Amino acid sequence: MPSGWVLARLSKVLGLEGDKKSIITFEFNPKDGIDNPALSLTEDTDGEAVGEPRFYLLSKDSTETFGFYLNEELGCQGHVIRQVELGGLAQRRGLQDGDRLLQVNGHFVDHMDHHRVVQKIKASGNQVLLAVLDGDSYEAAKALGRDLSQMLPADIRPRLCHITRDKSGFGFSVSGPEGVKGIFQLSVQQDGPAERAGVPPGSWLLELNGASVSNYSHAQLTKKLKQSGSKVTLLVASSAVEEFYRLRGLRATAALADTSWLPFKVRELHMVKGPAGYGFLLKEDDCSSGATGQFMWDVDAGLPADQAGMKEGDRLLAVNGESIEGLDHQQTVLRIRARDDRVTLLVIDPAGDAFYHSIGLSPLLSFEDSDPASGSHTSSLPSPSASPGLCHVEVGPTGPGSWLVAAANSIGFTQVTPLARPLWQCCSFPTLLPCLS
């Protein structure tokens, strides 16, 4: 991370020379990483007791959960943190029952459909950055008509950029203080490969090809760049973004990044079954990561799959808005068949799949990022709420009211009523049929 030399330089550039309190008031827990509430982002100009958003970086391994539920509840506004597991990751970091979730990896989510928020957390994999506000402050801010998005910094996301060199090179140069490891600032050639790939001028280099540069010397970094061949992937941060993470003792990683500049995109295929079926074969095979995946083969020309843009070798990522991670072949087929005559699939081609594996990220992270070239925004994962056969909600004595709940690695529907025990019941699936026609 940048040293005091860089801190002083950045403080001067950003006008923070006198803001010593904001630099030293947080506490760093070396065992857990970050147990640090967010620094002051807003002032209470109305004299009301409205607290400040808090930021938590949750990092787990594949066998752990984040240790909380995210609820949407009757008579309670926002996305509500519930059932914070005693001694679990979320509690150790400082999340509290009743907190309202405002931001996921830099995306403001308070206004979003609950299912979209769940998908954002799940797509983030084993690491997610959450911004929350305590329940009382949230209700007070809503009552005052405050725009909650204005309580948060506008842009806290580092950027992933994939650069292909041309005859002049990669189009950037690296500088840093002599004899200091891990501090590298980029100068970007105008209209060069780096600028076209989205690298902002003056940004700070955080990762090279999926590896942190924090312990690299300038000579080691130069050697790594030469070993990269004709392509290189950089994680970079503007001075403002770098400062946001540094002042909070957080490490900015690729899992938190803006991926909209990457050339590898997830594709959304909408298909309506024809008389001859969808026109493809789903095959289980090994992924580039060594794990098992579901792949598209034998795509019939002129049939719905071909017309939707499916290509042989595409890997299936999600069905009707639900990730298939962890599902076997039979379960995946049943997801596809859950709607009688139509389905929406998310797929990625082999090159994109290999790229995301090489940097240790899920391709789903790229799905909701903006397209910088067109200014458009890809659609969110479609809601699975109309999918029959996945889950059934019983209506309790107080009437209907099903609300989406997300555990760390699962999604279910539950009935939430003030005085009644939640009722939920999973349905059994029909017997697997031999093909997808």
Side-chain angles (χ1 to χ4, degrees):
M1 299 296 289
S3 66
W5 175 84
V6 178
L7 175 59
R9 181 172 178 272
L10 288 176
S11 296
K12 183 176 180 180
V13 170
L14 297 173
L16 298 176
E17 301 96 324
D19 193 13
K20 295 182 180 179
K21 180 180 179 182
S22 67
I23 296 174
I24 65 174
T25 52
F26 72 85
E27 296 181 1
F28 180 79
N29 185 329
K31 180 179 179 180
D32 278 342
I34 305 305
D35 261 343
N36 170 38
L39 304 178
S40 177
L41 298 175
T42 60
E43 294 183 2
D44 185 8
T45 56
D46 296 321
E48 299 287 342
V50 177
E52 301 158 358
R54 313 185 317 272
F55 288 85
Y56 299 104
L57 181 62
L58 306 183
S59 301
K60 67 181 184 67
D61 63 38
S62 57
T63 63
E64 289 182 304
T65 68
F66 287 127
F68 71 94
Y69 278 71
L70 186 67
N71 286 15
E72 186 179 40
E73 298 176 356
L74 283 172
C76 196
Q77 298 184 82
H79 308 289
V80 190
I81 303 292
R82 292 296 190 200
Q83 299 182 45
V84 180
E85 180 184 342
L86 184 64
L89 178 60
Q91 188 195 51
R92 296 198 308 270
R93 292 296 183 268
L95 281 176
Q96 300 175 15
D97 187 79
D99 281 343
R100 302 302 200 278
L101 182 61
L102 301 183
Q103 204 175 61
V104 176
N105 291 342
H107 290 281
F108 183 68
V109 300
D110 185 61
H111 64 296
M112 287 186 184
D113 174 80
H114 194 70
H115 179 260
R116 283 190 64 189
V117 181
V118 171
Q119 291 293 344
K120 282 183 177 294
I121 296 174
K122 294 186 74 174
S124 190
N126 290 333
Q127 186 176 70
V128 65
L129 178 65
L130 306 179
V132 302
L133 189 63
D134 71 88
D136 290 340
S137 294
Y138 180 90
E139 297 292 348
K142 284 287 189 179
L144 290 168
R146 289 193 177 181
D147 182 352
L148 295 177
S149 67
Q150 297 302 308
M151 299 177 69
L152 299 160
D155 183 12
I156 60 171
R157 305 176 71 195
R159 183 180 292 183
L160 266 176
C161 303
H162 187 68
I163 309 169
T164 301
R165 69 183 305 156
D166 62 15
K167 60 182 180 181
S168 66
F170 287 121
F172 67 87
S173 59
V174 181
S175 62
E178 186 177 354
V180 179
K181 291 185 175 182
I183 303 175
F184 304 108
Q185 192 168 29
L186 305 181
S187 297
V188 179
Q189 174 189 334
Q190 187 174 1
D191 199 33
E195 184 179 74
R196 293 194 298 270
V199 179
S203 56
W204 300 91
L205 180 61
L206 306 177
E207 292 184 6
L208 171 66
N209 295 331
S212 171
V213 300
S214 59
N215 293 318
Y216 287 178
S217 65
H218 193 279
Q220 289 171 321
L221 179 65
T222 300
K223 182 179 179 180
K224 293 288 185 181
L225 284 169
K226 289 180 178 179
Q227 293 172 344
S228 297
S230 62
K231 299 179 187 295
V232 67
T233 302
L234 307 182
L235 179 70
V236 298
S238 67
S239 291
V241 171
E242 186 277 335
E243 176 159 336
F244 171 86
Y245 286 91
R246 174 171 43 79
L247 291 183
R248 291 161 179 80
L250 301 173
R251 180 188 169 200
T253 66
L256 313 177
D258 173 7
T259 62
S260 64
W261 289 86
L262 295 177
F264 307 102
K265 305 295 183 184
V266 170
R267 307 191 322 275
E268 185 176 31
L269 311 180
H270 300 282
M271 295 181 288
V272 177
K273 186 186 293 186
Y278 290 123
F280 73 95
L281 177 67
L282 186 70
K283 180 183 177 182
E284 188 172 79
D285 206 343
D286 291 336
C287 304
S288 55
S289 64
T292 300
Q294 307 299 323
F295 296 85
M296 312 306 193
W297 294 104
D298 296 342
V299 180
D300 295 327
L303 292 187
D306 177 57
Q307 293 172 346
M310 184 181 292
K311 304 297 181 185
E312 292 200 5
D314 283 344
R315 183 165 76 90
L316 181 61
L317 303 174
V319 177
N320 295 330
E322 292 286 351
S323 170
I324 65 164
E325 184 178 358
L327 299 186
D328 61 23
H329 185 72
Q330 284 192 351
Q331 293 168 324
T332 304
V333 170
L334 290 170
R335 285 278 180 92
I336 294 173
R337 289 182 157 182
R339 300 180 184 180
D340 291 337
D341 63 348
R342 63 188 64 233
V343 69
T344 298
L345 307 180
L346 292 183
V347 301
I348 191 165
D349 63 43
D353 197 23
F355 169 78
Y356 282 103
H357 169 63
S358 73
I359 59 174
L361 295 181
S362 166
L364 289 174
L365 276 176
S366 70
F367 188 64
E368 295 199 36
D369 275 330
S370 300
D371 180 354
S374 66
S376 63
H377 196 279
T378 56
S379 58
S380 65
L381 289 173
S383 172
S385 58
S387 301
L390 296 181
C391 207
H392 171 72
V393 181
E394 291 188 12
V395 176
T398 58
S402 61
W403 304 95
L404 194 61
V405 176
N409 293 313
S410 63
I411 295 178
F413 286 92
T414 188
Q415 170 104 356
V416 179
T417 55
L419 299 176
R421 181 180 179 181
L423 300 173
W424 66 276
Q425 174 184 340
C426 289
C427 295
S428 59
F429 287 103
T431 303
L432 176 67
L433 298 177
C435 65
L436 291 170
S437 60

